[in-house]
Amino acid sequence: MASTAEAAEVAVLHAPATAESGRRRGYLGYLLLLPAAAWLIVFFILPLYSLLATSLYDPAGSDFRGYEMTYEWSNYSNAIKDYWGPLVRALWYAGLATFFCLVLGYVLAYAIAFKAGRWKNLMLVLVIAPFFTSFLVRTLAWKLILADDGFVVNTLQFLHLLGPDGRLLATPIAVVAGLTYNFLPFMVLPLFASIDKIDHRLIEASSDLYANPFVGFFKVTWPLSLPGVVSGTLLTFIPAVGDYINATLLGNTNTRVVGAVIQSLFTDANDYPAAAALSVILMALIVAMVLVYVRRAGTEELL
């Protein structure tokens, strides 16, 4: 009985200290979050607020006279009316490039995960090797590859797949090809990470249950790799929509995309309200499309 009373007394004496240490650990957690919170506030929330505010400025203002906050919501409707073409074109090009990246990237990731063997690491290095070169240099290289007197065009003309006066450069085909090439690694790496985790015995079990390779793929491999598919398509589509380097270097005036319009409005025309409104519209469209896509894919837990 005496020992029990002494233990209870010790527990009572140490209870405040334990509670105090728990509070200190709680405060420490908040303190550790401060750098990340400061980073988000300075480099995300404040720029986003500035962009939203700029999109509502009086469009009659200028750099010399300044801009007044008049809450011009018409800036959004005017931006859509004036630049809906480049906006739709950017979404279309990015969607095509994402589809081609998915098809090519899935085959490549599957081959690396299941067929590469001891060459797996080398092939992964080759996938990311283009990142060692500037994005601009890689795009200019495609300009040489698709040139009118280049090997690709001459071969297609020889095979009668392209007319005598046909060309690839300065066409939507060149723009989509450049986007597909430049963003392919963003698709391959998430796909590889997902496919590589699949237990190959499950695929063998599907064949043991008399499933042909086609059915086995869509019943076993594809569902198990779906997280990589969703991640890869998002990592590819989102930057591809805003990219304008490929459309500028590989396309023409008829392939102008919304990114080039925003850049021109900010730097050349100095029409900040229109540029900001178009930027907000683009961000809102991307967020809405991503939410719908993830919901339809049935992988809400990825967000």
Side-chain angles (χ1 to χ4, degrees):
M1 295 294 294
S3 60
T4 304
E6 292 176 358
E9 185 179 356
V10 171
V12 170
L13 292 175
H14 284 280
T18 304
E20 183 66 24
S21 62
R23 284 195 294 270
R24 288 176 181 174
R25 285 195 296 270
Y27 295 148
L28 180 60
Y30 288 114
L31 289 175
L32 293 176
L33 288 175
L34 283 179
W39 178 276
L40 288 175
I41 291 173
V42 174
F43 294 104
F44 178 73
I45 295 178
L46 291 180
L48 181 61
Y49 171 78
S50 176
L51 185 68
L52 292 172
T54 304
S55 68
L56 299 176
Y57 283 165
D58 183 4
S62 66
D63 289 341
F64 301 101
R65 296 190 302 272
Y67 291 93
E68 294 183 4
M69 173 56 74
T70 57
Y71 296 97
E72 289 287 339
W73 295 100
S74 61
N75 289 337
Y76 290 95
S77 58
N78 292 334
I80 295 176
K81 180 178 65 175
D82 295 337
Y83 305 110
W84 68 270
L87 183 61
V88 173
R89 200 175 296 125
L91 295 172
W92 174 242
Y93 290 163
L96 286 175
T98 302
F99 172 76
F100 291 130
C101 284
L102 177 59
V103 174
L104 298 174
Y106 202 101
V107 175
L108 181 56
Y110 188 95
I112 296 175
F114 290 150
K115 306 297 183 181
R118 61 191 180 94
W119 303 103
K120 183 183 297 185
N121 293 333
L122 176 61
M123 295 189 69
L124 286 175
V125 171
L126 293 178
V127 168
I128 65 174
F131 286 152
F132 299 157
T133 307
S134 169
F135 185 90
L136 183 62
V137 173
R138 283 182 276 141
T139 307
L140 288 173
W142 272 92
K143 193 171 184 178
L144 297 177
I145 293 172
L146 301 178
D148 294 340
D149 57 348
F151 173 78
V152 175
V153 172
N154 290 335
T155 302
L156 293 177
Q157 289 175 345
F158 176 77
L159 297 175
H160 300 287
L161 298 176
L162 200 63
D165 297 328
R167 60 182 320 208
L168 295 178
L169 195 62
T171 64
I173 295 176
V175 176
V176 174
L179 289 171
T180 302
Y181 166 75
N182 280 309
F183 292 105
L184 183 61
F186 291 99
M187 181 69 75
V188 174
L189 296 180
L191 283 173
F192 169 79
S194 184
I195 296 174
D196 193 48
K197 296 178 182 178
I198 298 177
D199 191 345
H200 202 272
R201 292 174 297 180
L202 297 176
I203 302 175
E204 295 176 351
S206 66
S207 62
D208 292 339
L209 295 173
Y210 305 103
N212 59 54
F214 183 81
V215 174
F217 173 79
F218 283 101
K219 290 293 185 179
V220 178
T221 307
W222 177 260
L224 292 176
S225 64
L226 194 57
V229 172
V230 174
S231 300
T233 50
L234 293 180
L235 289 174
T236 303
F237 179 79
I238 293 174
V241 172
D243 176 78
Y244 62 91
I245 299 298
N246 288 276
T248 301
L249 297 180
L250 303 178
N252 53 35
T253 55
N254 295 325
T255 61
R256 196 181 189 203
V257 293
V258 67
V261 174
I262 294 173
Q263 187 268 343
S264 178
L265 290 174
F266 267 123
T267 59
D268 299 332
N270 293 328
D271 191 352
Y272 297 152
L278 198 56
S279 301
V280 174
I281 292 171
L282 181 60
M283 286 192 299
L285 278 175
I286 292 175
V287 171
M289 293 176 69
V290 167
L291 292 177
V292 172
Y293 170 68
V294 172
R295 184 177 181 84
R296 291 292 299 272
T299 54
E300 294 90 340
E301 66 273 9
L302 294 177
L303 289 182

